[in-house]
Each structure stands twice: as C-alpha cells, then as structure tokens.
C-alpha cells in the first residue's frame, strides 16, 4: 500500500479517477454533466463515470468502479452517498474525492470541502491526501454520526421531495411533525470507566465536526481519535426544541470540554427499551450497541494545507 504522499503524487501525475454521482441526491441529477465537464477540463482520465438513478444500485456501482483500480474515486451526493463510498474505501489504497451535492453535507464540511462544485473540483486538482478516522457502529463504518431517538424516525420518514425543495430545513420540519407522538428514552452511556444516564428524546454519537450542516463544537473533527456523545434536550418537547436551536446557533463557540459532551474513543450505548439506530441516515439495527473508532481508516483528498494528524 502506497504512502499518502505517493498516492497524492500519483493522482496529480496520472489523473486516474472514477466518478459515481447519486442522481437522487438533492443536486446530483442536475450537476452530473457539469461535474464530468469540469473533471475533463482539469485533465482527469475517468476510468468510469456513472449517474446512479436507482438508490439500490449505489453500493454495487461504487464497488464495480473501485475494482477498476483508480487512484481517486470521486463520489458526488449527500452524506449517505459519501458514507457508502467511505465504507467501501476503508483501509484501501484509493483516495476518496468529495463532490458535495446533498442536503447537509456534514462530512464534506468536516473535511473542509467547498460546497460549490467548481471549487470542490479544484480541491481534487490541487489538494492533498490525508487520512481521517471512521466511526464503527456495531462493526459498521460511518463518517458522521449515530443517532438514537427522534433522529432515526426523522431520517426514515423525511420525504425525498421535501429535501429537494427545502434543503436541510426538511429535517426539522419532519421532526416537528413527529414530535407529538414521540416518547422519551432513558439512555445510558458507559465509557472509560464513566457512566452517564439521560432521560431524553435524542442521543447522538458523532465522529465528524458537523451535524445538520452546523458545527457540533469548535474543536470536533474526524481526525482526533475521538467520538463525541451528547443528548439533545430532556424528556420535554420544549427542551428538545430549545437544545436543538442552541446547538445550531452556538456550536461554533462551544468546546468538547463543556457539558453535555462526552469525548471518548469507544462507548456502550443502551436504552430502557430497544430503540432504532440510524447510522449516517440509514437504519442499522437497535440498541444496545457498541460504538468505536477505526483510526486513520480512510484516505481523502482534502484542501491543500489541511492538518493531518
């Protein structure tokens, strides 16, 4: 397996890449042709390029493209698409290129990728290969977060059309509609000899630095060997709404050392009744669940000058 420097040099020298765009993502179907044109103008030789119209074909298409052996696999779409690509490329000698075309684009924001397509392509041209951590939820790699509680219901029920029309506002709109019939959970987190119990409607465990398109804290990222666990609100609906607003507006000013954040490398999460677990927006079983880290598991093309721990 090549070093990151060798892989980066190969990408800059040979421009051997492949492109997979989720045409069902918010902007994917409109930006596929433009992405192809921008990459061609930048001198990339695309071993394959696919707009995926059927969601069920995304993972198999990514696998087929990776088997062609590109130095850079470019994935265009939202967080679900990029998470699927990250799972596939974990511990492989292929860098992931990010074209953010989704609703919240949390992973792209964490890595520092611009949201404008032309600027994201510029990163693929002049960036640097870094490695970042992946979370592990019961053995399933993830880039962004694990959610237990209301978020699992929101991710499962938010209409795709609403996401395309309203962007990241679609999630809080769906949450408000579901809130009247959602019951709070008693969630217990055990980690590093510590045990914390919360009566809450929502618990998150984040690997990256963003949630719902907003900073979790000023010092959370995907390259620090830490997961960030935190509840959102208490048992009341008002508390959930208050904390959701607080997190969205003050995350960039808060740190991992403040309440209610728990920053650890591994944890065990259980609830008073089995609760659905969503991993980067996909339903992945129920609690209880062990969540850990795979350090430096994924190689990503990031902006030049990105600090690589």
């Amino acid at each position: 397996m090549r070093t990151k420097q060798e892989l980066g040099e190969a990408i800059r020298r040979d421009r051997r890449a492949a492109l997979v765009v989720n045409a069902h993502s918010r902007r994917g179907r409109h930006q596929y042709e433009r992405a192809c044109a921008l990459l061609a103008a930048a001198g990339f030789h695309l071993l394959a390029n696919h707009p995926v119209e059927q969601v069920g074909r995304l993972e198999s298409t990514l696998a087929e493209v990776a088997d062609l052996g590109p130095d850079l696999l470019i994935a265009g779409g939202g967080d679900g698409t990029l998470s699927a690509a990250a799972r596939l490329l974990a511990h492989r000698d292929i860098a992931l290129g990010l074209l953010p075309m989704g609703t919240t684009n949390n992973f792209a924001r964490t890595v520092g990728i611009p949201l404008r397509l032309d600027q994201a392509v510029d990163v693929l041209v002049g960036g640097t290969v870094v490695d970042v951590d992946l979370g592990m939820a019961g053995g399933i790699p993830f880039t962004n977060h694990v959610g237990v509680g209301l978020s699992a219901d929101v991710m499962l029920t938010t209409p795709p059309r609403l996401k395309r029309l309203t962007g990241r506002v679609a999630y809080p709109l769906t949450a408000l509609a579901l809130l009247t019939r959602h019951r709070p959970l008693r969630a217990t987190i055990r980690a590093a000899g510590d045990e914390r119990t919360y009566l809450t409607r929502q618990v998150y465990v984040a690997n990256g630095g963003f949630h719902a398109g907003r900073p979790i804290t000023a010092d959370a990222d995907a390259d620090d060997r830490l997961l960030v666990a935190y509840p959102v609100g208490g048992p009341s609906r008002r508390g959930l709404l208050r904390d959701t607003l607080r997190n969205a507006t003050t995350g960039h000013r808060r740190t991992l050392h403040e309440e209610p954040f728990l920053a650890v490398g591994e944890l065990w999460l259980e609830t008073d009744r089995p609760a659905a677990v969503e991993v980067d927006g996909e339903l992945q079983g129920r609690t209880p669940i062990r969540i850990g880290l795979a350090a430096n598991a994924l190689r990503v093309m990031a902006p030049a000058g990105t600090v690589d721990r």
Side-chain angles (χ1 to χ4, degrees):
M1 189 161 171
R2 291 168 290 185
T3 66
K4 290 175 287 185
Q5 290 75 18
E6 290 169 341
L7 180 56
E9 289 169 2
I11 293 169
R12 288 187 290 272
R13 181 183 65 244
D14 302 327
R15 294 284 200 268
R16 295 178 67 258
L19 172 68
V20 176
V21 171
N22 180 357
H24 279 273
S25 67
R26 186 179 177 220
R27 294 183 290 161
R29 70 181 61 182
H30 304 293
Q31 298 208 1
Y32 168 71
E33 294 293 343
R34 184 163 179 247
C36 288
L38 288 169
L39 291 167
F44 281 99
H45 170 57
L46 295 180
L47 304 182
N49 51 292
H50 297 285
V52 179
E53 297 285 349
Q54 298 178 336
V55 176
R57 285 281 300 157
L58 179 62
E59 293 194 12
S60 60
T61 301
L62 287 165
E64 291 167 8
V65 164
D67 286 343
L68 298 175
D71 297 316
L72 180 68
L73 196 162
I74 305 166
D79 284 316
T81 300
L82 302 186
S83 182
R87 288 195 298 271
L88 175 71
L89 297 184
H91 305 292
R92 294 182 66 170
D93 190 27
I94 301 173
L96 175 60
L98 309 178
L99 297 181
M101 300 177 180
T103 304
T104 54
N105 299 304
N106 291 309
F107 186 51
R109 293 175 193 270
T110 293
V111 181
I113 306 300
L115 302 187
R116 274 182 45 179
L117 183 58
D118 58 339
Q119 293 177 350
V121 170
D122 288 343
V123 171
L124 303 180
V125 174
T128 184
V129 175
V130 303
D131 46 22
V132 298
D133 306 331
L134 289 177
M136 299 294 295
I140 299 171
F142 66 92
T143 56
N144 295 303
H145 74 273
V146 173
V148 174
L150 184 63
S151 71
D153 295 333
V154 169
M155 289 297 180
L156 290 172
T157 59
T158 301
R161 178 176 173 79
L162 182 63
K163 289 197 292 184
R164 288 195 297 270
L165 291 174
T166 66
R168 62 190 181 192
V169 177
Y171 295 125
L173 289 176
T174 303
L176 287 171
L178 292 174
L179 193 53
T180 56
R181 60 182 184 270
H182 186 269
R183 294 167 51 205
L185 294 163
R186 186 175 297 278
T188 299
I189 296 175
R190 297 185 178 91
D194 190 10
E195 179 177 313
R196 301 188 185 186
T197 298
Y198 311 96
L199 185 59
T200 182
R201 294 176 184 269
Q202 181 63 54
V203 176
Y204 288 111
V205 180
N207 172 55
F210 285 77
H211 179 252
R214 303 289 186 181
I216 297 168
T217 71
D219 52 354
D221 63 48
D223 197 24
D224 57 6
R225 318 301 177 266
L226 291 174
L227 299 165
V228 184
Y230 59 102
V232 180
S236 71
R237 298 185 185 96
R238 181 177 296 179
L240 175 64
L241 295 172
R242 182 196 62 234
D243 276 15
T244 299
L245 179 61
R246 179 191 181 206
N247 291 345
T249 57
T250 68
H252 64 289
R253 298 199 301 268
R254 303 166 73 187
T255 77
L256 296 177
H257 303 291
E258 297 180 37
E259 292 289 340
F261 303 113
L262 175 63
V264 293
E266 184 180 45
L267 60 87
W268 176 259
L269 171 60
E270 62 185 37
T271 51
D272 57 349
R273 63 182 187 275
V277 176
E278 57 99 356
V279 180
D280 279 349
E282 301 291 335
L283 185 64
Q284 299 286 358
R286 291 180 174 271
T287 56
I289 187 169
R290 185 176 300 280
I291 306 172
L293 279 172
N296 289 336
L298 177 68
R299 292 181 169 185
V300 179
M301 183 64 82
T306 298
V307 176
D308 187 15
R309 298 184 179 93

